[in-house]
Each structure stands twice: as structure tokens, then as C-alpha cells.
Amino acid sequence: MTTTNLSKMQPLTPPLVVSLKGSFKPLEIGQGASDGLVALAEGGDLQPLIALLGTRNDVFDYMAGDGLIFPGESLTLQVKVKGFTVSCR
């Protein structure tokens, strides 16, 4: 019988759900990652990416979780998409 030790499992970085109006591309193939994506990838820091999203006219809506998600937990976030509200879990 195999048992899983949940204390050894890694939590997930707080999620970030984004709906775009059009041309915004947070990552371009063949180009270096933006400072916001580097901060997210290397340290789980959403703030630089959130700051960027707040300045863009081509970002329709975004919502970020406010903490780590541990094994067995879940979180539902809602964003607007062209007049609709979409839940992401």
C-alpha cells in the first residue's frame, strides 16, 4: 500500500486569470520573458505582472488569488469576458 505525505507536496503559486481584448501578448516566441513573467516563474510573485496588466488597454479583466493553494484545496476566480462572467476553478 502506498501512502502520500501531503507535507512533502508543493503548494501552487496564487493563480492569475486574464481575459484579453486582442493584441496583448505577455510572451513572444524567441524573445526574453517580461520582468513580470520572470518574477512569477522564479519566485511566484504576481505583483509585477498585475501592475503591467493594470496599465494595458487591451486587457479586458483579470483576477488573482490572494495566497498559495495547498494540496487538496481549490479556488474559484471570476473574470469578465465580453459581457459575460466566467468562473475558473
Side-chain angles (χ1 to χ4, degrees):
M1 182 164 126
T2 303
T3 58
T4 301
N5 184 349
L6 293 179
S7 65
K8 293 183 180 181
M9 296 177 75
Q10 293 291 323
L12 296 174
T13 299
L16 176 63
V17 179
V18 182
S19 64
L20 304 174
K21 291 181 183 175
S23 62
F24 178 56
K25 295 180 182 178
L27 181 63
E28 291 279 345
I29 295 175
Q31 302 295 317
S34 68
D35 292 341
L37 285 177
V38 170
L40 174 60
E42 292 183 356
D45 184 5
L46 294 174
Q47 293 311 309
L49 191 52
I50 289 171
L52 172 65
L53 295 173
T55 66
R56 303 288 305 215
N57 291 332
D58 49 1
V59 172
F60 191 76
D61 193 18
Y62 61 92
M63 179 64 68
D66 61 358
L68 298 174
I69 298 177
F70 291 91
E73 295 181 344
S74 66
L75 175 70
T76 300
L77 299 174
Q78 293 184 341
V79 294
K80 293 178 183 159
V81 181
K82 292 188 178 184
F84 298 95
T85 299
V86 178
S87 294
C88 301
R89 181 173 187 185

Coordinates of all heavy atoms in Angstrom, one line a residue:
M1 N 0.8 -1.2 0.0 CA 0.0 0.0 0.0 C 0.9 1.2 0.0 O 1.8 1.3 0.8 CB -0.9 0.0 1.2 CG -1.8 1.1 1.3 SD -3.1 0.8 2.5 CE -3.0 2.2 3.5
T2 N 0.6 2.2 -0.8 CA 1.3 3.4 -0.9 C 0.6 4.5 -0.3 O -0.6 4.7 -0.5 CB 1.6 3.8 -2.4 OG1 2.2 2.7 -3.1 CG2 2.4 5.1 -2.5
T3 N 1.3 5.3 0.6 CA 0.6 6.5 1.2 C 1.4 7.7 0.7 O 2.5 7.7 0.4 CB 0.7 6.4 2.7 OG1 2.1 6.3 3.1 CG2 0.0 5.2 3.3
T4 N 0.6 8.8 0.6 CA 1.2 10.1 0.2 C 1.3 11.0 1.4 O 0.4 11.2 2.1 CB 0.3 10.7 -0.9 OG1 0.1 9.8 -2.0 CG2 0.9 12.0 -1.4
N5 N 2.5 11.6 1.5 CA 2.8 12.5 2.6 C 2.5 13.9 2.1 O 3.3 14.5 1.3 CB 4.2 12.4 3.1 CG 4.5 13.3 4.3 OD1 3.7 14.2 4.6 ND2 5.6 13.0 5.0
L6 N 1.3 14.5 2.4 CA 1.0 15.8 1.9 C 1.9 16.9 2.3 O 2.1 17.9 1.6 CB -0.5 16.2 2.3 CG -1.6 15.3 1.7 CD1 -2.9 15.8 2.2 CD2 -1.5 15.4 0.2
S7 N 2.6 16.7 3.4 CA 3.5 17.8 3.9 C 4.7 17.9 2.9 O 5.4 18.9 2.9 CB 4.0 17.5 5.3 OG 4.8 16.3 5.3
K8 N 5.0 16.9 2.1 CA 6.1 17.0 1.1 C 5.6 17.5 -0.3 O 6.5 17.7 -1.1 CB 6.7 15.6 0.9 CG 7.4 15.1 2.2 CD 8.1 13.8 1.9 CE 8.8 13.3 3.2 NZ 9.5 12.1 3.0
M9 N 4.3 17.7 -0.5 CA 3.8 18.2 -1.7 C 4.0 19.7 -1.8 O 3.8 20.4 -0.8 CB 2.4 17.7 -1.9 CG 2.3 16.2 -2.0 SD 0.6 15.7 -2.2 CE 0.2 16.1 -3.9
Q10 N 4.3 20.2 -2.9 CA 4.5 21.7 -3.1 C 3.1 22.4 -3.3 O 2.3 21.9 -4.0 CB 5.3 21.9 -4.3 CG 6.8 21.5 -4.1 CD 7.5 22.3 -3.1 OE1 7.3 23.5 -3.0 NE2 8.3 21.7 -2.3
P11 N 2.9 23.5 -2.7 CA 1.7 24.4 -3.0 C 1.9 25.0 -4.3 O 3.0 25.1 -4.9 CB 1.8 25.4 -1.8 CG 3.2 25.5 -1.5 CD 3.8 24.2 -1.7
L12 N 0.8 25.4 -4.9 CA 0.7 26.1 -6.2 C 0.8 27.6 -5.9 O 0.2 28.2 -4.9 CB -0.5 25.8 -6.9 CG -0.7 24.4 -7.4 CD1 -2.1 24.2 -8.0 CD2 0.4 24.0 -8.3
T13 N 1.5 28.3 -6.8 CA 1.5 29.8 -6.8 C 0.1 30.3 -6.9 O -0.7 29.7 -7.6 CB 2.3 30.3 -8.0 OG1 3.7 29.8 -7.8 CG2 2.4 31.8 -8.0
P14 N -0.2 31.5 -6.3 CA -1.6 32.0 -6.5 C -1.9 32.1 -7.9 O -1.1 32.6 -8.7 CB -1.5 33.4 -5.8 CG -0.4 33.3 -4.8 CD 0.6 32.3 -5.4
P15 N -3.1 31.7 -8.4 CA -3.4 31.8 -9.8 C -3.7 33.2 -10.3 O -4.1 34.0 -9.5 CB -4.7 30.9 -9.9 CG -5.3 31.0 -8.6 CD -4.1 31.1 -7.6
L16 N -3.6 33.4 -11.5 CA -3.9 34.6 -12.2 C -4.7 34.3 -13.5 O -4.2 33.6 -14.3 CB -2.6 35.4 -12.5 CG -2.8 36.7 -13.3 CD1 -3.6 37.7 -12.5 CD2 -1.5 37.3 -13.7
V17 N -5.9 34.8 -13.6 CA -6.7 34.5 -14.8 C -6.9 35.9 -15.5 O -7.3 36.9 -14.8 CB -8.1 34.0 -14.4 CG1 -9.0 33.7 -15.6 CG2 -7.9 32.7 -13.6
V18 N -6.7 35.9 -16.8 CA -6.7 37.1 -17.6 C -7.6 36.9 -18.8 O -7.4 35.9 -19.5 CB -5.3 37.5 -18.0 CG1 -5.3 38.9 -18.8 CG2 -4.3 37.6 -16.8
S19 N -8.4 37.9 -19.1 CA -9.1 37.9 -20.4 C -8.6 39.1 -21.2 O -8.5 40.2 -20.6 CB -10.7 37.9 -20.2 OG -11.1 39.1 -19.6
L20 N -8.3 38.9 -22.4 CA -7.7 39.9 -23.3 C -8.7 40.4 -24.3 O -9.5 39.6 -24.9 CB -6.5 39.3 -24.0 CG -5.4 38.7 -23.0 CD1 -4.3 38.0 -23.8 CD2 -4.8 39.8 -22.1
K21 N -8.5 41.6 -24.7 CA -9.3 42.2 -25.8 C -8.7 41.9 -27.1 O -9.4 41.8 -28.1 CB -9.4 43.7 -25.6 CG -10.2 44.2 -24.5 CD -10.3 45.7 -24.4 CE -11.0 46.2 -23.2 NZ -10.9 47.7 -23.1
G22 N -7.4 41.7 -27.2 CA -6.9 41.5 -28.5 C -5.4 41.3 -28.6 O -4.9 40.2 -28.3
S23 N -4.6 42.3 -28.8 CA -3.3 42.2 -29.2 C -2.2 41.9 -28.1 O -1.1 41.7 -28.4 CB -2.8 43.5 -29.9 OG -3.0 44.6 -29.1
F24 N -2.6 42.0 -26.8 CA -1.6 41.8 -25.8 C -1.0 40.4 -25.7 O -1.8 39.4 -25.7 CB -2.3 42.1 -24.4 CG -1.3 42.0 -23.2 CD1 -0.1 42.6 -23.2 CD2 -1.7 41.1 -22.2 CE1 0.7 42.5 -22.1 CE2 -0.8 41.0 -21.1 CZ 0.4 41.7 -21.1
K25 N 0.3 40.3 -25.8 CA 1.0 39.0 -25.7 C 2.0 39.1 -24.6 O 3.1 39.7 -24.8 CB 1.6 38.7 -27.1 CG 0.7 38.5 -28.2 CD 1.4 38.2 -29.5 CE 0.4 38.1 -30.6 NZ 1.1 37.9 -31.9
P26 N 1.7 38.5 -23.5 CA 2.7 38.5 -22.4 C 4.0 37.8 -22.7 O 5.0 38.0 -22.0 CB 2.0 37.9 -21.2 CG 0.9 37.1 -21.8 CD 0.5 37.7 -23.2
L27 N 4.0 36.9 -23.7 CA 5.2 36.2 -24.1 C 5.3 36.1 -25.6 O 4.3 35.7 -26.3 CB 5.1 34.8 -23.5 CG 6.3 33.9 -23.7 CD1 7.6 34.4 -23.1 CD2 6.0 32.5 -23.2
E28 N 6.4 36.4 -26.2 CA 6.6 36.3 -27.6 C 7.7 35.2 -27.8 O 8.8 35.2 -27.2 CB 7.2 37.6 -28.2 CG 6.2 38.7 -28.2 CD 5.2 38.6 -29.4 OE1 5.5 37.9 -30.3 OE2 4.2 39.3 -29.3
I29 N 7.4 34.2 -28.7 CA 8.4 33.2 -29.0 C 9.7 33.8 -29.6 O 9.6 34.7 -30.4 CB 7.8 32.2 -30.0 CG1 6.6 31.4 -29.4 CG2 8.8 31.2 -30.5 CD1 5.8 30.5 -30.3
G30 N 10.8 33.4 -29.0 CA 12.1 33.9 -29.5 C 12.5 35.1 -28.8 O 13.6 35.6 -29.0
Q31 N 11.7 35.7 -27.9 CA 12.0 36.9 -27.1 C 12.2 36.5 -25.7 O 11.6 35.5 -25.2 CB 10.9 38.0 -27.3 CG 10.7 38.4 -28.7 CD 11.9 39.1 -29.3 OE1 12.5 39.9 -28.7 NE2 12.2 38.7 -30.5
G32 N 12.9 37.4 -24.9 CA 13.1 37.2 -23.5 C 11.7 37.4 -22.8 O 10.9 38.2 -23.3
A33 N 11.5 36.8 -21.7 CA 10.3 37.0 -20.9 C 10.3 38.4 -20.3 O 11.4 38.9 -19.9 CB 10.2 35.9 -19.8
S34 N 9.1 38.9 -20.1 CA 9.0 40.2 -19.4 C 9.4 40.1 -17.9 O 9.4 39.0 -17.4 CB 7.5 40.7 -19.5 OG 6.7 39.9 -18.7
D35 N 9.7 41.2 -17.3 CA 10.0 41.2 -15.9 C 8.9 40.6 -15.1 O 9.2 39.9 -14.1 CB 10.3 42.6 -15.4 CG 11.6 43.2 -16.0 OD1 12.4 42.5 -16.5 OD2 11.7 44.5 -16.0
G36 N 7.7 40.8 -15.4 CA 6.6 40.3 -14.7 C 6.5 38.8 -14.8 O 6.3 38.1 -13.8
L37 N 6.8 38.2 -15.9 CA 6.8 36.8 -16.1 C 8.0 36.1 -15.4 O 7.9 35.0 -14.8 CB 6.8 36.4 -17.5 CG 5.4 36.5 -18.3 CD1 5.6 36.1 -19.7 CD2 4.3 35.7 -17.6
V38 N 9.1 36.8 -15.4 CA 10.3 36.3 -14.7 C 10.0 36.3 -13.2 O 10.3 35.3 -12.5 CB 11.5 37.2 -15.0 CG1 12.7 36.8 -14.1 CG2 12.0 37.0 -16.4
A39 N 9.4 37.3 -12.6 CA 9.1 37.4 -11.2 C 8.1 36.2 -10.8 O 8.3 35.6 -9.8 CB 8.5 38.7 -10.8
L40 N 7.2 36.0 -11.7 CA 6.2 34.9 -11.5 C 6.9 33.5 -11.5 O 6.7 32.7 -10.6 CB 5.1 35.0 -12.5 CG 4.1 33.8 -12.5 CD1 3.4 33.7 -11.1 CD2 3.1 34.0 -13.6
A41 N 7.7 33.3 -12.6 CA 8.3 32.0 -12.7 C 9.4 31.7 -11.7 O 9.5 30.6 -11.2 CB 9.0 31.9 -14.1
E42 N 10.1 32.7 -11.3 CA 11.3 32.5 -10.4 C 10.9 32.5 -8.9 O 11.5 31.9 -8.1 CB 12.4 33.4 -10.7 CG 13.0 33.1 -12.0 CD 14.2 34.0 -12.3 OE1 14.5 34.9 -11.5 OE2 14.9 33.8 -13.4
G43 N 9.9 33.3 -8.6 CA 9.5 33.5 -7.2 C 8.1 33.4 -6.8 O 7.7 33.6 -5.7
G44 N 7.2 33.2 -7.8 CA 5.8 33.1 -7.5 C 5.2 34.5 -7.2 O 4.1 34.6 -6.7
D45 N 5.9 35.6 -7.6 CA 5.4 36.9 -7.3 C 4.5 37.4 -8.5 O 5.0 37.7 -9.6 CB 6.6 37.9 -7.1 CG 6.2 39.3 -6.8 OD1 5.1 39.5 -6.5 OD2 7.2 40.1 -6.7
L46 N 3.3 37.6 -8.2 CA 2.3 38.1 -9.2 C 2.3 39.6 -9.4 O 1.8 40.1 -10.4 CB 0.9 37.7 -8.9 CG 0.6 36.2 -8.9 CD1 -0.8 35.9 -8.3 CD2 0.7 35.6 -10.3
Q47 N 2.8 40.4 -8.4 CA 2.6 41.8 -8.4 C 3.2 42.5 -9.6 O 2.5 43.4 -10.1 CB 3.2 42.4 -7.1 CG 2.4 42.0 -5.9 CD 0.9 42.1 -6.0 OE1 0.4 43.2 -6.4 NE2 0.1 41.1 -5.7
P48 N 4.4 42.2 -10.1 CA 4.8 42.9 -11.3 C 4.0 42.7 -12.5 O 3.7 43.6 -13.3 CB 6.3 42.4 -11.5 CG 6.7 41.9 -10.2 CD 5.4 41.4 -9.5
L49 N 3.5 41.5 -12.7 CA 2.6 41.2 -13.8 C 1.2 41.9 -13.6 O 0.7 42.4 -14.6 CB 2.4 39.7 -14.0 CG 1.8 39.2 -15.2 CD1 2.4 39.7 -16.5 CD2 1.8 37.6 -15.3
I50 N 0.7 41.9 -12.4 CA -0.6 42.6 -12.2 C -0.4 44.1 -12.4 O -1.3 44.7 -13.0 CB -1.0 42.3 -10.7 CG1 -1.5 40.8 -10.6 CG2 -2.1 43.2 -10.3 CD1 -1.8 40.4 -9.2
A51 N 0.7 44.6 -12.0 CA 0.9 46.1 -12.3 C 0.9 46.3 -13.8 O 0.3 47.3 -14.2 CB 2.2 46.5 -11.7
L52 N 1.5 45.5 -14.6 CA 1.5 45.6 -16.0 C 0.1 45.5 -16.6 O -0.3 46.3 -17.4 CB 2.4 44.6 -16.7 CG 2.4 44.5 -18.2 CD1 2.9 45.8 -18.8 CD2 3.2 43.3 -18.7
L53 N -0.6 44.5 -16.2 CA -2.0 44.3 -16.7 C -2.9 45.5 -16.4 O -3.7 45.9 -17.2 CB -2.6 43.1 -16.0 CG -2.0 41.7 -16.4 CD1 -2.6 40.6 -15.5 CD2 -2.1 41.4 -17.8
G54 N -2.7 46.2 -15.3 CA -3.5 47.3 -14.9 C -3.2 48.6 -15.8 O -4.0 49.5 -15.8
T55 N -2.1 48.6 -16.6 CA -1.8 49.7 -17.4 C -2.2 49.5 -18.9 O -2.0 50.4 -19.7 CB -0.3 50.0 -17.4 OG1 0.4 48.9 -18.0 CG2 0.2 50.2 -16.0
R56 N -2.7 48.3 -19.2 CA -2.9 47.9 -20.6 C -4.4 48.1 -21.0 O -5.3 47.7 -20.3 CB -2.6 46.4 -20.8 CG -1.2 46.0 -20.5 CD -0.2 46.6 -21.5 NE -0.6 46.2 -22.8 CZ 0.3 45.9 -23.8 NH1 1.6 45.9 -23.5 NH2 -0.1 45.5 -25.0
N57 N -4.6 48.8 -22.2 CA -6.0 48.9 -22.7 C -6.5 47.7 -23.4 O -7.7 47.5 -23.6 CB -6.0 50.1 -23.7 CG -5.8 51.4 -23.1 OD1 -6.1 51.6 -21.9 ND2 -5.2 52.3 -23.8
D58 N -5.6 46.7 -23.7 CA -6.0 45.5 -24.4 C -6.3 44.4 -23.4 O -6.4 43.2 -23.8 CB -5.0 45.1 -25.5 CG -3.6 45.1 -25.0 OD1 -3.3 45.4 -23.9 OD2 -2.7 44.9 -25.9
V59 N -6.3 44.6 -22.1 CA -6.6 43.6 -21.1 C -8.0 43.9 -20.7 O -8.3 45.0 -20.2 CB -5.7 43.7 -19.9 CG1 -6.2 42.8 -18.8 CG2 -4.3 43.3 -20.3
F60 N -8.9 43.0 -20.9 CA -10.3 43.2 -20.6 C -10.6 43.1 -19.0 O -11.2 44.0 -18.4 CB -11.2 42.2 -21.3 CG -12.7 42.5 -21.2 CD1 -13.2 43.5 -22.0 CD2 -13.5 41.8 -20.4 CE1 -14.6 43.8 -22.0 CE2 -14.9 42.1 -20.4 CZ -15.4 43.1 -21.1
D61 N -10.1 42.0 -18.4 CA -10.3 41.8 -17.0 C -9.2 40.9 -16.5 O -8.7 40.1 -17.3 CB -11.7 41.3 -16.7 CG -12.1 41.3 -15.3 OD1 -11.5 42.1 -14.5 OD2 -13.1 40.7 -14.9
Y62 N -9.0 40.9 -15.2 CA -8.1 40.0 -14.6 C -8.4 39.8 -13.1 O -9.0 40.7 -12.5 CB -6.6 40.3 -14.7 CG -6.2 41.6 -14.1 CD1 -5.7 41.7 -12.8 CD2 -6.3 42.8 -14.8 CE1 -5.4 42.9 -12.2 CE2 -6.0 44.0 -14.3 CZ -5.5 44.1 -13.0 OH -5.1 45.2 -12.4
M63 N -8.1 38.7 -12.5 CA -8.3 38.4 -11.1 C -7.2 37.5 -10.7 O -6.9 36.5 -11.4 CB -9.7 37.7 -10.9 CG -10.0 37.4 -9.5 SD -10.2 38.8 -8.4 CE -11.6 39.5 -9.0
A64 N -6.7 37.8 -9.5 CA -5.6 36.9 -8.9 C -6.0 36.4 -7.6 O -6.8 37.0 -6.9 CB -4.3 37.8 -8.7
G65 N -5.6 35.2 -7.3 CA -5.8 34.6 -6.0 C -4.9 35.3 -5.0 O -3.9 36.0 -5.4
D66 N -5.2 35.3 -3.7 CA -4.5 36.0 -2.7 C -3.6 35.2 -1.9 O -3.1 35.7 -0.9 CB -5.5 36.9 -1.9 CG -6.5 36.0 -1.1 OD1 -6.4 34.8 -1.3 OD2 -7.3 36.6 -0.4
G67 N -3.4 34.0 -2.2 CA -2.5 33.1 -1.4 C -2.2 31.8 -2.1 O -2.7 31.5 -3.2
L68 N -1.3 31.1 -1.6 CA -0.9 29.8 -2.1 C -2.1 28.8 -2.1 O -2.9 28.9 -1.2 CB 0.3 29.2 -1.3 CG 1.6 30.0 -1.4 CD1 2.6 29.3 -0.4 CD2 2.1 30.1 -2.8
I69 N -2.1 27.9 -3.0 CA -3.1 26.8 -2.9 C -2.4 25.5 -2.6 O -1.4 25.1 -3.3 CB -3.8 26.6 -4.3 CG1 -4.5 27.9 -4.7 CG2 -4.7 25.5 -4.3 CD1 -5.2 27.9 -6.0
F70 N -2.8 24.9 -1.5 CA -2.1 23.7 -0.9 C -2.8 22.5 -1.4 O -4.0 22.5 -1.9 CB -2.1 23.8 0.6 CG -1.2 24.8 1.1 CD1 -1.6 26.1 1.4 CD2 0.2 24.6 1.3 CE1 -0.8 27.1 1.8 CE2 1.0 25.6 1.8 CZ 0.6 26.8 2.0
P71 N -2.2 21.3 -1.4 CA -2.8 20.1 -1.9 C -4.1 19.9 -1.2 O -4.3 20.0 0.0 CB -1.8 19.0 -1.4 CG -0.4 19.7 -1.4 CD -0.8 21.1 -0.9
G72 N -5.1 19.5 -2.1 CA -6.5 19.3 -1.6 C -7.3 20.5 -1.6 O -8.5 20.4 -1.4
E73 N -6.8 21.7 -1.8 CA -7.5 22.9 -1.7 C -7.9 23.3 -3.2 O -7.3 22.9 -4.1 CB -6.7 24.1 -1.1 CG -6.4 23.9 0.4 CD -5.7 25.0 0.9 OE1 -5.1 25.9 0.2 OE2 -5.6 25.1 2.2
S74 N -8.9 24.2 -3.3 CA -9.3 24.8 -4.6 C -9.6 26.2 -4.4 O -9.9 26.7 -3.3 CB -10.4 24.0 -5.2 OG -11.6 24.1 -4.5
L75 N -9.7 26.9 -5.5 CA -10.1 28.3 -5.5 C -10.9 28.6 -6.8 O -10.5 28.1 -7.9 CB -8.8 29.2 -5.5 CG -9.0 30.7 -5.6 CD1 -9.7 31.2 -4.3 CD2 -7.6 31.4 -5.8
T76 N -11.9 29.4 -6.7 CA -12.6 29.8 -7.9 C -12.5 31.3 -8.1 O -12.6 32.1 -7.2 CB -14.1 29.5 -7.8 OG1 -14.3 28.1 -7.6 CG2 -14.9 29.9 -9.0
L77 N -12.1 31.7 -9.3 CA -11.9 33.1 -9.7 C -12.9 33.5 -10.8 O -13.1 32.6 -11.6 CB -10.5 33.4 -10.1 CG -9.4 33.2 -9.1 CD1 -8.0 33.4 -9.8 CD2 -9.5 34.1 -7.9
Q78 N -13.4 34.7 -10.8 CA -14.3 35.1 -11.9 C -13.7 36.3 -12.6 O -13.2 37.2 -12.0 CB -15.7 35.5 -11.3 CG -16.4 34.3 -10.7 CD -17.8 34.7 -10.3 OE1 -18.1 35.9 -10.0 NE2 -18.7 33.7 -10.1
V79 N -13.8 36.2 -14.0 CA -13.4 37.4 -14.8 C -14.5 37.6 -15.8 O -15.2 36.8 -16.2 CB -12.0 37.1 -15.5 CG1 -10.9 37.0 -14.6 CG2 -12.1 35.9 -16.4
K80 N -14.5 38.9 -16.3 CA -15.5 39.3 -17.3 C -14.9 39.0 -18.7 O -13.7 39.3 -18.9 CB -15.8 40.7 -17.2 CG -16.6 41.0 -15.9 CD -16.9 42.5 -15.8 CE -17.6 42.7 -14.4 NZ -17.5 44.0 -14.0
V81 N -15.7 38.5 -19.6 CA -15.3 38.2 -21.0 C -16.4 38.7 -21.9 O -17.5 38.1 -22.0 CB -15.1 36.7 -21.2 CG1 -14.6 36.5 -22.6 CG2 -14.0 36.2 -20.2
K82 N -16.2 39.9 -22.5 CA -17.2 40.5 -23.4 C -18.6 40.4 -22.9 O -19.5 39.8 -23.5 CB -17.1 39.8 -24.8 CG -15.9 40.1 -25.5 CD -15.9 39.6 -26.9 CE -14.7 40.0 -27.7 NZ -14.7 39.6 -29.0
G83 N -18.9 40.9 -21.7 CA -20.2 41.0 -21.1 C -20.6 39.8 -20.3 O -21.7 39.8 -19.7
F84 N -19.9 38.7 -20.3 CA -20.2 37.5 -19.6 C -19.2 37.4 -18.4 O -18.1 38.0 -18.4 CB -20.0 36.3 -20.4 CG -20.9 36.2 -21.6 CD1 -20.5 36.6 -22.8 CD2 -22.2 35.7 -21.4 CE1 -21.4 36.5 -23.9 CE2 -23.1 35.6 -22.5 CZ -22.7 36.1 -23.7
T85 N -19.6 36.7 -17.4 CA -18.7 36.5 -16.3 C -18.4 35.0 -16.3 O -19.3 34.1 -16.4 CB -19.3 36.8 -14.9 OG1 -19.6 38.2 -14.9 CG2 -18.4 36.5 -13.8
V86 N -17.1 34.6 -16.3 CA -16.6 33.3 -16.4 C -16.0 32.9 -15.1 O -15.1 33.6 -14.6 CB -15.7 33.1 -17.6 CG1 -15.1 31.7 -17.7 CG2 -16.3 33.5 -18.9
S87 N -16.3 31.7 -14.6 CA -15.7 31.2 -13.4 C -14.6 30.2 -13.7 O -14.8 29.4 -14.6 CB -16.7 30.5 -12.4 OG -17.6 31.5 -12.0
C88 N -13.4 30.4 -13.1 CA -12.3 29.5 -13.4 C -12.0 28.8 -12.0 O -11.8 29.5 -11.0 CB -11.1 30.2 -13.9 SG -11.4 31.0 -15.5
R89 N -11.9 27.5 -12.0 CA -11.6 26.8 -10.8 C -10.4 25.9 -11.0 O -10.2 25.3 -11.9 CB -12.8 26.0 -10.4 CG -12.6 25.2 -9.1 CD -13.8 24.5 -8.6 NE -13.5 24.0 -7.3 CZ -14.3 23.3 -6.6 NH1 -15.5 23.0 -7.1 NH2 -13.9 22.8 -5.4

